Amino acid sequence: MDNTALENRVFNPPAEIAENANAKADIYEWAKKDRLGFWDAHAKELVTWFQPYDKILDDSNPPFYKWFVNGKLNVSYNCVDRHAKSNRRNKAAILYESEIGKKVCLTYGMLYREVNKFANVLAGLGVKKGDRVALYMPMIPEATVAMLACARIGAPHSLVFGGFSPESLRDRINDCGAKVLITSDGNFRRGKPFPLKDNADKAMEDTPTIEKCIVVKNAENEVVMKEGRDLWYHELMATAANYYEPEVMDAEDMLFILYTSGTTGKPKGVVHTSGGYLVQTQATLKYVFDIKEDDVYWCTADIGWITGHSYVVYGPLALGTTVFMYDGTIDYPDKDRMWDMAERYGVTKFYTAPTAIRTWMKWGTEYVKKHDLSAIKILGSVGEPINPEAWMWYRENIGHGEAPIMDTWWQTETGAHMVTPLPGVTPLKPGTATVPFPGIEVDIVDENKNSVNEGYLVVKSPWPSMLRTVYGDDNRYIDQYWKKFGDFYFAGDGAKRDEMGYIWVTGRVDDVLNVSGHRLGTAEVESALVECEEVAEAAVVGKKHEVKGESVCAFVILKDGFEGSPELIEKLKKHVGVKIGPIAKPDDIIFTSSLPKTRSGKIMRRLLRDIAEGRAIGDVTTLADPGAMQEIAAKYAGKE
Ligand code: PRX
């Protein structure tokens, strides 16, 4: 993304969208003049409160900010009750299709009923306000039902992406002390059932807090049900009562915990609360995707990630939108699967990740051309920087040459969009997330907090959907996000500003990788590698990858007596896959006898990245042994 200065193409908003857009140009001025008033107006417009708040923002104890102080609400009430009791009752809330073609439509009325019943199921198993519930589920409607049922009871949920390993699931359950685990027998991947419940069983061998495990029958693969612990979802639902009174929650009560990778080996439990999160997820979706009553909105993210939480479940359902959900691979039975569904369901707004766009690009346009995508009005991108080529391809082929692309920069921690264009207002340039959302104060600063055109991306003032802490670890929250710049939130990303004032996010500046839009800590992969008996030490870096954005590249020192071999490379890759999940598997493993370290012992990953990406090696003068780089470079060259 070094071509910011070269990118001159500017695309103005299409007249048709600009004329009818939810957000008009004056929205920026309004938010600038009265930032808190802007959020106050949206909190009043978009949330049904049981009791109004008496203060918009309490910033008396930074960085522990509180929004909509003393306001009372229930998030599930906002997502289902208020629609089920309106003329949206028979409007589709969820349109779902499985890989093998199973189709489900849940109207708002039906979703309301399911959520209430499942809240009764959970309550019947002893789940109370404040108890944690873990979810390890495919992209099925029951996952949304379960999330909303937790919200109804006031039991924070913690979703673990279905592609994570049993060990990752176990660690996340144990960190938050979940009482109940909800999973499914399995789901289909390329026509074959993937055994989620088997993984859950392995995790539950060592999760002392789990009392019950609820299993949704989905792929109908065989599972072992443990007497006294495991229960079938459909059996519990068959006798559940139809109504559960929503718990009255404080705006600052926890809605969910979501684990994400940081710079140490242990993932962080990012804590989100109820009021501010519900305000900002809705406000951003309403304006960024210009949500209208008749939209069919499809965000391809898995619900196990923050994009799934905010823009498959909470944001769109709170707005009463029709959400399309697909559980399966993007090329099954053929490479036009996505476009086939987009055409059949008449998708109007489509939100995905650059890695997927690059995959479709590689496959060629013939698969897209088979389908009529003319209903698509707005496109979105999230998860990593989008390269201008992919941006242009997306606009030309999926957006039939005119749909504006919303490149949205945000994070698990920010909860909702932070830097993004607005479709009827912002002129677009391929590759930039453009400007901060109204009411959000973002800047680029140097080490001394001076505003500069190239440096660290920071958020200068609190925002409603911000994380509130790291679960059980306030110090880590402070250290990670607030220590570097005091009252500015440190996002961990680098960014540049162009002559139009647009922000170009260049990627992480810390030891976090972004593989296919998924965050991974270098330390997580390294600690998985050093668990292997052959490995003495490992250093992991991200290497630019044409489709995945970054791939995992590991430099490994073996213990005395062990030799590098293709078999050992395979063994180590497999171990990382089993330990963390397939997304963490290194593409490259290079055996070496030393690693570049400073005199104080810190590994200089920057130099390893230079080698992996074929650049001239940077400054080596701070290395304890400057000669080490030559050996590593030779080993790397030998690999290829
Ligand atoms: O590096 C940024 C990148 O993804 C990171 C956040 O990852 P995660 O918490 O998993 O959330 C992903 C979905 C919100 C950021 O620190 N990132 C996300 N969106 C963009 C991006 N980088 C550039 N442009 C984006 N639009």
Side-chain angles (χ1 to χ4, degrees):
M1 200 68 48
D2 290 320
N3 49 354
T4 53
L6 304 175
E7 186 52 77
N8 292 321
R9 289 170 289 195
V10 175
F11 298 92
N12 288 314
E16 193 201 327
I17 291 184
E19 270 162 34
N20 304 305
N22 292 334
K24 304 279 189 252
D26 60 1
I27 195 169
Y28 289 106
E29 228 177 279
W30 171 23
K32 207 171 199 163
K33 259 197 226 139
D34 184 11
R35 205 174 72 84
L36 291 184
F38 174 83
W39 289 118
D40 182 32
H42 288 91
K44 291 193 169 109
E45 177 200 325
L46 299 171
V47 172
T48 305
W49 298 91
F50 294 150
Q51 180 190 300
Y53 44 89
D54 40 50
K55 195 166 186 203
I56 304 163
L57 170 67
D58 174 358
D59 56 3
S60 59
N61 182 28
F64 299 96
Y65 298 100
K66 291 183 179 151
W67 283 85
F68 310 114
V69 182
N70 291 328
K72 307 286 181 215
L73 76 162
N74 183 284
V75 171
S76 96
Y77 182 93
N78 277 271
C79 291
V80 289
D81 300 44
R82 60 175 176 168
H83 308 310
K85 288 174 187 163
S86 77
N87 55 9
R88 291 194 184 119
R89 182 180 178 83
N90 290 318
K91 174 176 176 176
I94 300 176
L95 296 168
Y96 158 83
E97 188 163 315
S98 80
E99 197 185 76
I100 56 165
K102 181 180 163 192
K103 298 177 183 71
V104 174
C105 168
L106 286 182
T107 63
Y108 273 97
M110 292 156 86
L111 182 62
Y112 166 78
R113 177 58 54 88
E114 296 296 295
V115 170
N116 272 280
K117 286 174 83 161
F118 196 57
N120 276 312
V121 166
L122 290 174
L125 297 176
V127 176
K128 295 184 302 294
K129 181 177 173 181
D131 289 341
R132 276 82 57 216
V133 175
L135 272 74
Y136 185 59
M137 295 186 85
M139 283 288 287
I140 53 179
E142 289 87 345
T144 303
V145 169
M147 290 166 80
L148 294 173
C150 288
R152 197 164 190 88
I153 293 182
H157 54 67
S158 168
L159 271 87
V160 180
F161 171 56
F164 274 132
S165 67
E167 280 192 44
S168 300
L169 173 61
R170 180 199 65 196
D171 293 349
R172 285 159 172 77
I173 289 175
N174 289 339
D175 188 77
C176 72
K179 196 169 181 175
V180 169
L181 171 65
I182 308 167
T183 186
S184 92
D185 48 2
N187 60 331
F188 285 96
R189 283 295 172 267
R190 297 214 155 77
K192 282 202 228 90
F194 174 82
L196 271 181
K197 173 66 164 58
D198 287 359
N199 278 357
D201 286 341
K202 285 188 199 120
M204 285 188 292
E205 283 167 14
D206 189 16
T207 53
T209 55
I210 293 287
E211 293 169 12
K212 298 287 175 202
C213 173
I214 302 175
V215 188
V216 178
K217 192 168 264 191
N218 180 51
E220 313 232 354
N221 50 317
E222 227 166 276
V223 295
V224 179
M225 298 291 279
K226 187 172 166 184
E227 185 82 39
R229 185 195 67 188
D230 299 348
L231 302 156
W232 285 110
Y233 179 92
H234 61 274
E235 288 178 4
L236 295 166
M237 289 292 269
T239 54
N242 283 337
Y243 183 70
Y244 185 93
E245 182 75 17
E247 195 71 35
V248 176
M249 304 291 287
D250 190 87
E252 283 300 332
D253 277 338
M254 204 191 308
L255 178 63
F256 64 84
I257 304 164
L258 185 58
Y259 287 85
T260 188
S261 296
T263 47
T264 67
K266 194 171 170 270
K268 298 173 282 201
V270 168
V271 169
H272 281 288
T273 58
S274 305
Y277 178 79
L278 195 63
V279 173
Q280 196 175 329
T281 49
Q282 287 187 84
T284 48
L285 188 64
K286 173 179 168 175
Y287 293 129
V288 175
F289 282 89
D290 198 33
I291 293 297
K292 299 279 162 60
E293 200 58 52
D294 57 355
D295 270 324
V296 178
Y297 162 86
W298 184 9
C299 167
T300 66
D302 191 281
I303 39 159
W305 307 110
I306 191 69
T307 310
H309 283 57
S310 302
Y311 297 110
V312 176
V313 179
Y314 291 112
L317 294 179
L319 287 176
T321 310
T322 296
V323 175
F324 176 66
M325 259 173 110
Y326 169 59
D327 187 36
T329 22
I330 62 175
D331 56 350
Y332 190 89
D334 205 350
K335 295 188 173 68
D336 68 338
R337 178 61 189 263
M338 304 295 271
W339 320 125
D340 175 44
M341 292 188 295
E343 178 179 8
R344 276 191 284 115
Y345 290 90
V347 169
T348 56
K349 310 282 162 78
F350 184 74
Y351 191 19
T352 195
T355 182
I357 299 167
R358 290 190 294 262
T359 305
W360 296 320
M361 246 173 108
K362 227 173 69 179
W363 289 344
T365 53
E366 61 186 280
Y367 299 100
V368 185
K369 286 196 178 126
K370 281 189 192 166
H371 298 282
D372 175 5
L373 301 181
S374 57
I376 291 184
K377 290 199 181 76
I378 293 173
L379 297 169
S381 171
V382 61
E384 54 175 314
I386 178 165
N387 46 312
E389 300 71 33
W391 195 99
M392 288 305 297
W393 187 92
Y394 195 30
R395 178 182 167 92
E396 284 307 315
N397 295 288
I398 312 303
H400 36 89
E402 58 188 12
I405 298 171
M406 302 296 106
D407 176 2
T408 59
W409 176 85
W410 60 294
Q411 310 177 297
T412 305
E413 292 87 341
T414 70
H417 301 155
M418 300 294 279
V419 180
T420 171
L422 297 177
V425 177
T426 321
L428 305 175
K429 276 169 119 179
T432 161
T434 71
V435 294
F437 186 79
I440 300 293
E441 295 183 319
V442 167
D443 202 356
I444 301 172
V445 299
D446 64 12
E447 290 284 345
N448 302 316
K449 269 175 85 176
N450 301 310
S451 185
V452 290
N453 285 336
E454 182 169 356
Y456 301 107
L457 195 61
V458 294
V459 189
K460 295 193 335 187
S461 54
W463 63 101
S465 65
M466 66 193 296
L467 80 164
R468 299 307 198 256
T469 190
V470 171
Y471 188 74
D473 199 347
D474 286 347
N475 287 332
R476 197 168 172 198
Y477 168 64
I478 296 168
D479 281 358
Q480 185 80 43
Y481 305 105
W482 304 97
K483 214 167 177 179
K484 194 167 173 69
F485 295 117
D487 54 343
F488 289 4
Y489 166 87
F490 171 53
D493 278 316
K496 294 179 186 178
R497 197 184 337 250
D498 70 11
E499 73 292 345
M500 279 170 75
Y502 281 6
I503 293 169
W504 296 68
V505 179
T506 48
R508 303 288 305 191
V509 292
D510 53 8
D511 294 326
V512 172
L513 309 181
N514 191 326
V515 180
S516 300
H518 302 320
R519 248 164 94 167
L520 268 181
T522 50
E524 276 174 86
V525 185
E526 287 163 5
S527 61
L529 285 167
V530 295
E531 270 179 10
C532 297
E533 54 168 1
E534 299 89 346
V535 177
E537 207 177 347
V540 163
V541 296
K543 174 184 170 182
K544 273 209 179 82
H545 187 281
E546 203 191 329
V547 174
K548 298 194 242 184
E550 271 185 323
S551 66
V552 178
C553 176
F555 293 83
V556 169
I557 302 179
L558 294 176
K559 287 182 190 154
D560 283 349
F562 291 102
E563 288 257 328
S565 66
E567 293 74 39
L568 184 56
I569 289 180
E570 276 321 299
K571 181 180 167 190
L572 298 184
K573 286 184 181 177
K574 195 167 160 217
H575 177 78
V576 175
V578 169
K579 173 85 187 161
I580 304 173
I583 51 168
K585 271 192 186 173
D587 277 20
D588 305 281
I589 293 184
I590 296 99
F591 299 113
T592 170
S593 62
S594 62
L595 290 169
K597 287 187 186 162
T598 59
R599 280 170 208 109
S600 60
K602 190 176 167 347
I603 296 175
M604 302 273 290
R605 291 193 183 75
R606 171 171 65 74
L607 299 175
L608 293 173
R609 205 172 306 130
D610 287 342
I611 291 181
E613 295 182 347
R615 273 189 303 274
I617 298 167
D619 182 11
V620 295
T621 51
T622 55
L623 288 184
D625 171 15
M629 290 310 293
Q630 272 150 15
E631 184 225 328
I632 301 169
K635 288 268 167 60
Y636 190 85
K639 162 200 98 76
E640 285 182 327

